[in-house]
């Protein structure tokens, strides 16, 4: 007889159904797993044998064949233990044969028969729900899985024995509750930053339209401090965004204690980060920083210190909002629509351009350092902001008087609401100006006559690229939205152009 248990394989953050088939047949005692399984799956054999033994069930002394169908779908990870063990128990008669019909199961087994946590419970639950089934998952993943749908069945047993007892009716498993992490993470307040009015304004614009931004300035001028305040003025995630972000975190195994959070992701990988850490992949296919920053912020401090390969790899997700990783025999893709915030010194010694400073290496120092950021990458950054050293006078002014994060966040939220409504009205699945397609931005950011004149003059004088042109329109649209204006005017364009042209020696737009 063949017993079945449904489970899933992950392709990116999508859960694809997999049917585990177990047959106990005549022959020498052995267990074979077939169906394009990787090494972690092949090791299931040992864990399942030990876990069944610890649960008081002896493995039958017969030939056991396990097939993971469809056979051409690659199977990675250790979450196949539980469905294989459950199907085997059904085949042995240790469990009612039809008990598993309405469920998808996933989980790793420990040698003592307990069920260990695995990544991906939330996407698995969403997949199960789409098929009209319930989910059997490890105990700690229960509160994460419960998010998929309040109506669906979620069983989160601690051990194989608890699972078998539930199906026999001797012990009832209650449905786990969906957990939410309370409170936002602690961030500093914008009011802590003295002076730097231009930089603070640029940060507000970036937050309002989800524009990419780079801060350039000498060490100690407050670039890292400014960037770290961005989360304090960003609006919380929308329900749909929250689910996407959480699915990625779940696949990456980063949903601590299975609780979700509505705070926008803010990822700050160190500049020594490897390709695999940044874009994902590696031994086990896992989302990288660019995906963990989806719907949020990727902050790269000491921007030019990242390796050129890592910097280059950002171009694809910046353009398409998605990252594709090649695996041994297939490809996976993860969503990665993030807002890039970078900070850099103007040169290696950090002091280029400072009044009264002459670099030993002359202009080459700054030129060499800035050349590490390729033109095409810099081209995708709308706001380029020079952050001068803070003066002693600024530092000595009392901290009070500066705007608080709450005040700025309210303006950002209003501007975002305007954008969301505009793009929803056009039937588009975008919520901010930075993400608007070029044809759309030409329509919604059409400048008035004075604005058009300015744009023409500036284009002639500064020779910006076609991409530069559209990006200036996007920033200008955000500036008008912050002001509550329907039409993009000369003043908005002038400010947008100034952001794009600031630090012009950095790059040609
Ligand atoms: N504008 C400022 N207002 C208040 N404190 C500042 C300011 N700029 C710098 N500081 C102080 O200097 C420290 C170093 O700033 P940091 O953001 O690390 O500089 P950078 O990243 O530009 O090298 C901060 O932790 C903060 O205490
Ligand atoms: Mg810094």
């Amino acid at each position: 007889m063949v017993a079945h248990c449904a489970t899933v394989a992950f392709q990116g953050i999508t859960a694809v159904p997999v049917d585990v088939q177990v047959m106990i047949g005549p022959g020498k005692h052995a267990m074979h797993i077939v169906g394009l399984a990787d090494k972690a799956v092949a090791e299931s054999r040992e864990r399942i044998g030990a876990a069944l033994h610890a649960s008081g069930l002896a493995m039958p002394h017969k030939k056991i064949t396990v097939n993971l169908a469809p056979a051409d779908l690659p199977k990675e990870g250790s979450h196949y233990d539980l469905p294989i063990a459950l199907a085997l128990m059904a085949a042995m008669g240790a469990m009612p044969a039809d008990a598993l019909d309405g469920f998808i199961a996933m989980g790793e087994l420990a040698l003592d028969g307990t069920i260990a946590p695995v990544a991906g419970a939330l996407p698995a639950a969403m997949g199960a729900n789409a098929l009209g089934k319930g989910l059997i998952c490890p105990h700690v993943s229960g509160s994460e899985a419960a998010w998929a749908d309040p109506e669906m069945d979620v069983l989160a047993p601690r051990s194989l024995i608890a699972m078998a007892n539930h199906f026999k009716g001797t012990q009832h498993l209650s449905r786990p509750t969906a957990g939410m992490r309370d409170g936002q993470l602690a961030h500093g307040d914008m009011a802590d930053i003295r002076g730097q009015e231009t930089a603070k304004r640029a940060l507000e614009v970036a937050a309002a339209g989800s524009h990419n931004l780079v801060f350039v300035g000498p060490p100690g001028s407050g670039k890292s401090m400014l960037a770290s305040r961005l989360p304090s003025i960003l609006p919380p995630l929308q329900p749909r965004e929250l689910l996407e972000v959480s699915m990625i975190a779940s696949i990456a195994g980063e949903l601590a204690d299975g609780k979700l959070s509505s705070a926008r992701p803010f990822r700050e990988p160190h500049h020594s980060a490897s390709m695999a850490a940044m874009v994902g992949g590696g031994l086990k296919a896992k989302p990288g920083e660019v995906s963990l920053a989806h719907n949020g912020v990727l902050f790269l401090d000491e921007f030019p210190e990242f390796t050129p390969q890592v910097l280059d790899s950002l171009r694809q997700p910046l353009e398409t909002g998605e990252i594709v990783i090649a695996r041994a025999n297939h490809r996976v893709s993860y969503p990665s629509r993030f807002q890039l915030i970078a900070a850099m010194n103007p040169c290696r010694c950090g002091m280029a351009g400072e009044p009264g400073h002459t670099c030993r290496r002359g202009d080459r120092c700054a030129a060499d350092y800035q050349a590490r950021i390729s033109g095409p990458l810099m081209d995708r950054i709308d706001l380029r902001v020079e952050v001068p050293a803070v003066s002693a006078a600024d530092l000595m002014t009392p901290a009070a008087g500066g705007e608080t994060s709450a005040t700025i966040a309210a303006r950002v939220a209003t501007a975002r609401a305007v954008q969301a409504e505009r793009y929803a009205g056009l039937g588009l699945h975008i919520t901010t100006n930075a993400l608007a397609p070029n044809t759309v931005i030409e329509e919604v950011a059409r400048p008035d006559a004075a604005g058009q004149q300015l744009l023409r003059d500036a284009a002639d004088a500064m020779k910006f690229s076609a991409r530069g042109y559209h990006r200036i329109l996007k920033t200008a649209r955000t500036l008008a939205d912050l002001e509550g204006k329907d039409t993009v005017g000369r003043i908005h364009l002038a400010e947008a152009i100034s952001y794009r042209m600031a630090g012009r020696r950095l790059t040609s737009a």
Side-chain angles (χ1 to χ4, degrees):
M1 184 197 95
V2 178
H4 295 261
C5 181
T7 184
V8 291
F10 294 109
Q11 284 186 333
I13 57 167
T14 325
V16 184
V18 168
D19 185 32
V20 176
Q21 306 159 356
V22 173
M23 191 177 81
I24 305 178
K28 219 170 110 239
H29 173 58
M31 181 167 167
H32 299 285
I33 300 179
V34 296
L36 214 59
D38 80 348
K39 195 155 177 298
V41 182
E43 286 171 351
S44 279
R45 232 177 5 215
E46 313 304 324
R47 290 191 295 267
I48 291 168
L52 286 181
H53 182 74
S55 310
L57 293 166
M59 285 270 260
H61 269 264
K62 295 198 173 149
K63 185 176 166 196
I64 302 167
T65 310
V66 178
N67 182 33
L68 306 176
D72 59 351
L73 185 71
K75 325 272 184 329
E76 286 184 310
S78 55
H79 66 271
Y80 296 96
D81 291 7
L82 183 61
I84 297 174
L86 291 175
L88 183 56
M89 284 162 73
M92 287 157 59
M95 206 156 61
D98 57 356
L100 298 170
D101 285 354
F103 289 96
I104 277 191
M106 50 115 55
E108 183 181 320
L109 289 176
L111 299 185
D112 63 357
T114 55
I115 303 172
V118 285
L122 178 59
M126 308 268 289
N129 194 37
L131 297 171
K133 295 191 180 220
L135 183 77
I136 302 174
C137 68
H139 185 72
V140 286
S141 312
S143 64
E144 171 187 334
W147 270 98
D149 188 332
E151 300 295 315
M152 76 183 278
D153 271 338
V154 178
L155 297 176
R158 291 180 193 276
S159 65
L160 274 184
I161 298 178
M163 187 74 266
N165 286 346
H166 175 84
F167 283 132
K168 280 192 236 152
T170 54
Q171 180 193 358
H172 178 71
L173 290 169
S174 55
R175 188 181 195 275
T177 46
M180 191 80 186
R181 192 177 308 286
D182 37 42
Q184 299 263 333
L185 301 171
H187 299 289
D189 198 281
M190 290 289 275
D192 304 339
I193 303 166
R194 321 269 174 86
Q196 306 297 24
E197 298 306 329
T198 313
K200 282 194 263 189
R201 162 81 174 164
L203 204 57
E204 177 176 341
V205 176
S210 82
H211 301 282
N212 301 327
L213 174 154
V214 60
F215 287 127
V216 189
S221 56
K223 305 182 294 294
S224 306
M225 188 180 184
L226 278 155
S228 70
R229 290 336 187 242
L230 179 55
S232 72
I233 59 171
L234 284 172
L237 292 166
Q238 301 290 316
R240 219 180 66 160
E241 296 176 318
L242 172 74
L243 218 46
E244 280 176 359
V245 166
S246 307
M247 296 225 285
I248 297 169
S250 172
I251 292 274
E254 294 226 355
L255 268 190
D257 54 34
K259 293 204 173 114
L260 275 55
S261 161
S262 67
R264 260 172 216 281
F266 184 84
R267 306 290 304 187
E268 37 182 339
H270 188 252
H271 56 74
S272 63
S274 67
M275 271 299 264
M278 190 62 103
V279 302
L283 204 54
K284 289 182 179 173
K286 274 214 318 189
E289 294 290 340
V290 295
S291 299
L292 291 164
H294 181 62
N295 286 334
V297 178
L298 181 69
F299 173 42
L300 303 183
D301 208 353
E302 310 296 350
F303 198 29
E305 301 288 342
F306 286 81
T307 66
Q309 292 88 328
V310 165
L311 289 178
D312 241 20
S313 68
L314 298 176
R315 278 161 57 184
Q316 184 208 1
L318 277 174
E319 204 60 31
T320 62
E322 190 181 60
I323 184 90
V324 180
I325 311 164
R327 306 290 296 156
N329 45 11
H330 63 294
R331 292 160 159 268
V332 291
S333 73
Y334 296 106
S336 57
R337 176 157 290 122
F338 57 86
Q339 178 180 7
L340 176 66
I341 304 291
M344 61 187 281
N345 296 333
C347 69
R348 181 166 282 286
C349 53
M351 302 306 282
E354 281 306 292
H357 179 84
T358 41
C359 185
R360 212 157 26 92
R361 293 187 53 219
D363 288 345
R364 288 223 49 80
C365 185
D368 286 353
Y369 197 60
Q370 289 168 10
R372 286 159 167 258
I373 312 296
S374 69
L377 180 56
M378 196 49 102
D379 206 23
R380 289 171 169 83
I381 303 185
D382 304 332
L383 310 178
R384 302 163 191 175
V385 185
E386 295 201 50
V387 186
V390 249
S391 65
D394 269 344
L395 283 178
M396 281 154 65
T397 53
E403 280 190 309
T404 62
S405 290
T407 314
I408 304 173
R411 287 199 298 264
V412 169
T414 311
R416 283 229 179 184
V418 172
Q419 299 169 63
E421 195 180 322
R422 168 184 309 136
Y423 296 117
L426 293 171
L428 296 168
H429 282 297
I430 51 172
T431 49
T432 57
N433 294 326
L435 304 177
N438 291 343
T439 46
V440 174
I441 204 71
E442 281 177 14
E443 210 49 51
V444 300
R446 191 185 303 270
D448 60 16
Q452 287 189 11
Q453 187 57 45
L454 175 72
L455 205 50
R456 248 192 305 274
D457 295 347
D460 282 346
M462 301 175 206
K463 311 240 175 310
F464 37 72
S465 63
R467 190 190 279 117
Y469 171 78
H470 286 114
R471 299 203 84 112
I472 285 169
L473 284 184
K474 290 178 188 181
T475 313
R477 184 62 261 176
T478 300
L479 290 164
D481 287 338
L482 271 171
E483 233 181 75
K485 293 273 164 62
D486 283 341
T487 317
V488 170
R490 187 183 169 88
I491 182 166
H492 308 124
L493 283 160
E495 188 176 344
I497 292 171
S498 79
Y499 289 132
R500 186 138 184 115
M501 294 305 145
R504 190 165 157 74
R505 37 198 182 92
L506 274 176
T507 158
S508 48

